[in-house]
Amino acid sequence: MFTLIQLQSFVAVAEELHFGAAADRLNMTQPPLSRQIQILEREVGSQLFDRSSRRVELTAAGNALLPSARQILDLAARTELDVRRVADGDAGSVTISYTAIAGQTALPQLLRRTAEEQAGVSLVLRELVSTDQMDGLVNGSVDIGLLRPIVVRPGVRSRPIMQDRLIIATPADSGFAPEGESLPLVALKDSPLMMYSTAEARYFHDLVLRLFSSADVQPRITQYASQVPALLAFVQAGLGVTLVPASSRSFAPADVRFYDIEDSRTIRKLNRVELDVAWNENTTNPAVLKLLELLP
């Protein structure tokens, strides 16, 4: 089987039609170049050049080999480049999971940065609740997760990348104060509360309960959902009120009003919503490691 150096030698001579010029082009002396051509001719079983003291010409076999030799060398060069790009984190595939809110906030920013810095990386996007994201990070089906701070599993690392706060969402005809004013949580005590599920949205579920408890209010929970868009759909339908991250204003449905929670020292201390980026600390995917560097 012929080698790449033999094909490189052959193409150089075929294009220069001069052994001395081809040797200079390859930064080698003429005798080793001639030996590579002789070995290649033995491998293919045909003479590739007609040589005389005055000129060098391709034989019919040489003319037949030249296009394929160029293609093989081009493929080898592209393969080497592709492998190097993967090793440098500039190519490959990364699976990113995200919550519904992260899909509207942190994810677009990450996608823009990736397109600018890692255009050769293919991204697979999966919308998942935080608990399912953590499962994916552990079993390897997810490379990077944009999720809420929950109990971290062994082998998974995380860090905060964004902070938000909860606000009150009500139907537009709820009769509360004009939109833009603040509401105390006690104003919601008689309203049906659309609540986060304990299994899939424990982070928000516990935060909402802490806020109501700090206001000495027992909420009247009537519906549960795992994602913010579902809770806002309940509100839009006039079924009650809910607490959602302030960033959800940007994709809220019509006929929903928003109010800041009336401030107090306790509310200010409790009302913090964090978004984390998480990854498996044992990942060997260079594209994942480089992508993590793009996040704040």
Side-chain angles (χ1 to χ4, degrees):
M1 180 62 66
F2 47 75
T3 64
L4 291 179
I5 184 61
Q6 291 164 10
L7 292 181
Q8 289 171 341
S9 300
F10 165 71
V11 169
V13 175
E15 292 177 348
E16 300 291 344
L17 292 179
H18 190 283
F19 274 78
D24 290 340
R25 171 172 154 181
L26 296 174
N27 294 315
M28 60 193 304
T29 58
Q30 189 168 330
L33 173 63
S34 298
R35 283 197 296 272
Q36 294 297 335
I37 298 298
Q38 291 167 3
I39 295 171
L40 178 60
E41 288 177 328
R42 286 200 299 269
E43 290 290 342
V44 300
S46 298
Q47 184 176 337
L48 301 174
F49 297 100
D50 282 329
R51 307 170 182 83
S52 69
S53 58
R54 294 186 177 181
R55 62 181 182 176
V56 175
E57 292 183 341
L58 282 166
T59 63
N63 275 308
L65 177 61
L66 184 57
S68 296
R70 285 171 170 156
Q71 290 177 3
I72 293 170
L73 292 175
D74 287 343
L75 178 60
R78 289 198 303 271
T79 301
E80 180 184 0
L81 178 60
D82 289 344
V83 170
R84 186 178 297 115
R85 292 175 66 211
V86 169
D88 291 341
D90 294 324
S93 177
V94 176
T95 298
I96 300 176
S97 61
Y98 56 95
T99 63
I101 292 292
Q104 302 291 326
T105 54
L107 181 64
Q109 299 175 29
L110 178 58
L111 296 181
R112 283 193 293 270
R113 293 291 303 277
T114 305
E116 293 170 358
E117 305 292 338
Q118 292 175 280
V121 173
S122 174
L123 299 180
V124 179
L125 305 180
R126 300 177 62 192
E127 183 177 320
L128 297 170
V129 295
S130 296
T131 52
D132 290 344
Q133 289 193 55
M134 192 62 72
D135 290 340
L137 290 166
V138 171
N139 65 35
S141 60
V142 170
D143 293 310
I144 292 176
L146 301 176
L147 43 71
R148 299 302 170 184
I150 58 177
V151 177
V152 177
R153 310 279 184 85
V156 176
R157 297 182 61 187
S158 65
R159 57 181 170 85
I161 59 170
M162 186 173 291
Q163 191 170 94
D164 204 346
R165 72 186 194 285
L166 290 181
I167 58 175
I168 299 168
T170 75
D173 58 356
S174 60
F176 289 107
E179 188 171 19
E181 296 187 13
S182 298
L183 285 181
L185 290 178
V186 68
L188 308 181
K189 65 183 180 63
D190 296 324
S191 299
L193 179 68
M194 308 295 105
M195 184 55 157
Y196 298 89
S197 65
T198 56
E200 297 176 313
R202 169 68 69 176
Y203 175 81
F204 279 119
H205 178 275
D206 292 351
L207 176 56
V208 170
L209 289 185
R210 287 196 299 272
L211 288 171
F212 274 100
S213 177
S214 72
D216 198 24
V217 175
Q218 181 65 42
R220 186 161 68 90
I221 300 170
T222 59
Q223 298 284 352
Y224 288 89
S226 62
Q227 295 278 26
V228 170
L231 293 173
L232 288 174
F234 282 138
V235 174
Q236 183 186 30
L239 300 183
V241 301
T242 192
L243 302 187
V244 295
S247 55
S248 62
R249 292 177 191 261
S250 62
F251 62 89
D255 301 322
V256 175
R257 284 187 176 178
F258 294 98
Y259 302 89
D260 286 332
I261 300 173
E262 193 170 276
D263 204 5
S264 71
R265 181 177 299 178
T266 302
I267 291 293
R268 196 180 311 122
K269 182 178 179 181
L270 291 175
N271 192 11
R272 293 187 299 179
V273 177
E274 288 189 345
L275 181 71
D276 284 2
V277 58
W279 66 98
N280 192 305
E281 64 181 7
N282 296 315
T283 183
T284 57
N285 186 340
V288 171
L289 300 176
K290 186 167 184 178
L291 194 151
L292 287 170
E293 296 176 358
L294 301 180
L295 290 167

